[in-house]
Amino acid sequence: MSNARTARLTRRGLLAAGGALGLGAVLTACGDDGAKDGGADTKGSAKTGPWSFKDDRGTTVKLDEAPRNIVAFTGVAAALYDYGIEVKGVFGPTTTKDGKADVQAGDMDVSKVTVLGNVWDQFNVEKYAALAPDVLISTMFDDAGTLWYVPEASKDKIAKLAPSVGISVFDRQLTGPLQRMWELAESLGADMTAAKVTEAKKRFEAASERLRKAAKAKPEIKVLVGSASPELFYVSGSNLSIDLEYFKALGVNFVEPTEAAKKATGGWFESLSWENVDKHKADVIMMDDRSSAIQPADITEATWKQLPAVKAGHVIARSTEPILSYDKCVAPVEALAEAIEKAKKVS
């Protein structure tokens, strides 16, 4: 098996369900009746006339008019929502077990969209067809054009129902995908001159400068990026992920997995038993905020509680799959900047 293929499989498994949770989870079949219905009267765009968009696969989608019946991966839909573009259907983590909006749904009213699948490998093709989709939009975590959360088993059926757009979030800095989502929203009719939009971009730029200054002032502060599952603790490398590559470019000093571990997972992460969670020394820990991962407050392992950064209270959330609007990317940048500013050397 090639390294590229290994990277795709391990990355998809880890991101889909918080590490080992994804590897051991029972996958729900396509067309599951548990997919949630929502309102179908949302508007995708107010723009008129022919529409085209060249995505990050190099594919240009052309339609007689701007798409109104948009179906998107939940995080993409959340980003478009911030720019005033609403979708009819979503797939991917949208609601939690108690029915509330998942962190990846952002500010969307999840009761007003049709949820085609809420977990990995769940995508109700029949409900998708009933939406009469004009376009499907998702992100891509590899260089092969694999649409995130579109099941392998039903991808061909899905592809026949509407053209698709892919935005790459693989091996590049955060600002690249942010710009691409901006361009996509603009093409769909979003008002990119609106005060809310332009002010969010300014706040993101200010937050980035703050992080750059914090990292420069405290280069000795080492930041570890983790994700917790019942069996294992995952240490993410700073390459390949758009947020970490951007933070590293701003000067953040990251803890890196061992070379052997990176080779085994295509460069993404290192798996540690909870007994060995103290293998790497860190002053600040960023933890996966997705609902599929165990959150810091719920980790009961004694070895975790004894980590110097944990004892010092130097643990913050990480938006592992950032919502690609400037508004949603401000808080993660500010949080890391503040954590480094306040951190004391404990490793």
Coordinates of all heavy atoms in Angstrom, one line a residue, residues 23 50 78 140 189:
L23 N -12.0 3.8 14.1 CA -11.5 2.5 13.7 C -12.4 1.4 14.3 O -12.6 0.3 13.6 CB -10.1 2.3 14.2 CG -9.0 3.3 13.7 CD1 -7.7 3.0 14.2 CD2 -9.0 3.3 12.1
P50 N -25.9 32.7 -15.6 CA -25.0 31.5 -15.6 C -24.0 31.5 -14.4 O -23.6 32.6 -14.0 CB -24.3 31.7 -16.9 CG -25.2 32.5 -17.8 CD -25.9 33.5 -16.8
A78 N -21.8 25.5 7.2 CA -21.7 26.5 8.3 C -20.9 27.7 7.8 O -21.2 28.8 8.2 CB -21.0 25.8 9.5
M140 N -11.8 18.4 1.0 CA -11.0 17.3 0.6 C -9.7 17.2 1.5 O -9.0 18.2 1.6 CB -10.6 17.4 -0.9 CG -11.8 17.5 -1.8 SD -11.3 17.6 -3.6 CE -10.4 19.1 -3.6
G189 N -23.4 34.4 -4.7 CA -24.2 35.6 -4.5 C -24.0 36.2 -3.2 O -24.8 37.2 -2.9

